[in-house]
Amino acid sequence: MTQGSITMDRTDTMPQGELTVRIPAMPGDANANGDIFGGWVVAHMDMAAGIRAAERARGRVATIAIQTLTFKKPVKIGDTLCVYTSLEKVGNTSMTLSIEAWTQSRTSRKETKVTEGIFVMVAIDDDGRKMSLPPAAV
């Protein structure tokens, strides 16, 4: 399915993963066109990735890569940004997460996927050096 110049797929109809962050988009977060800065959206996606990864690592984590990032639609002032996280792969020290950013319209409560990406997080010790992840909790 195509919407404008962006190709949509089945994953664009319903959020995938766990709701990790919700925050309203305010006028101070907007550019001159009235759309929310892409960097603001990415910062909240990174925050959500950090929350989810820290839960799995049971400690400190750091972002080591954003493998992909696709902006699908603009975020508007007044929308609520909802960020969903899915832990896709766990290695010895790092984790790969699928991150989806959706907006919820303040007037209709309709949800729309606006951005998606793959983030890689690494577990770190108090000195910032990578460390092995603990076994998964049962």
Side-chain angles (χ1 to χ4, degrees):
M1 151 173 48
T2 301
Q3 186 163 337
S5 62
I6 302 295
T7 301
M8 309 292 273
D9 61 29
R10 285 184 295 119
T11 64
D12 292 332
T13 60
M14 184 174 206
Q16 303 295 306
E18 180 179 320
L19 179 61
T20 309
V21 169
R22 290 184 73 217
I23 189 161
M26 302 298 284
D29 305 316
N31 61 28
N33 296 320
D35 297 326
I36 299 303
F37 285 110
W40 183 87
V41 175
V42 174
H44 288 89
M45 293 173 75
D46 190 38
M47 187 183 314
I51 290 168
R52 187 72 184 273
E55 290 171 349
R56 172 58 182 85
R58 296 195 289 275
R60 290 181 65 190
V61 296
T63 307
I64 59 170
I66 299 176
Q67 291 182 335
T68 65
L69 189 63
T70 304
F71 293 95
K72 294 177 168 274
K73 292 183 172 265
V75 176
K76 299 295 185 187
I77 295 169
D79 287 346
T80 298
L81 186 72
C82 303
V83 184
Y84 295 83
T85 60
S86 299
L87 194 55
E88 299 294 323
K89 180 181 171 188
V90 177
N92 183 45
T93 61
S94 65
M95 297 158 272
T96 302
L97 297 100
S98 175
I99 311 295
E100 295 184 357
W102 290 68
T103 55
Q104 187 177 69
S105 169
R106 65 180 172 182
T107 55
S108 70
R109 300 193 46 89
K110 177 183 178 220
E111 290 188 329
T112 304
K113 186 192 275 189
V114 294
T115 310
E116 62 188 6
I118 304 295
F119 287 61
V120 181
M121 310 297 285
V122 66
I124 57 174
D125 65 18
D126 289 337
D127 295 319
R129 291 184 301 248
K130 69 181 178 177
M131 60 180 267
S132 294
L133 289 164
V138 178

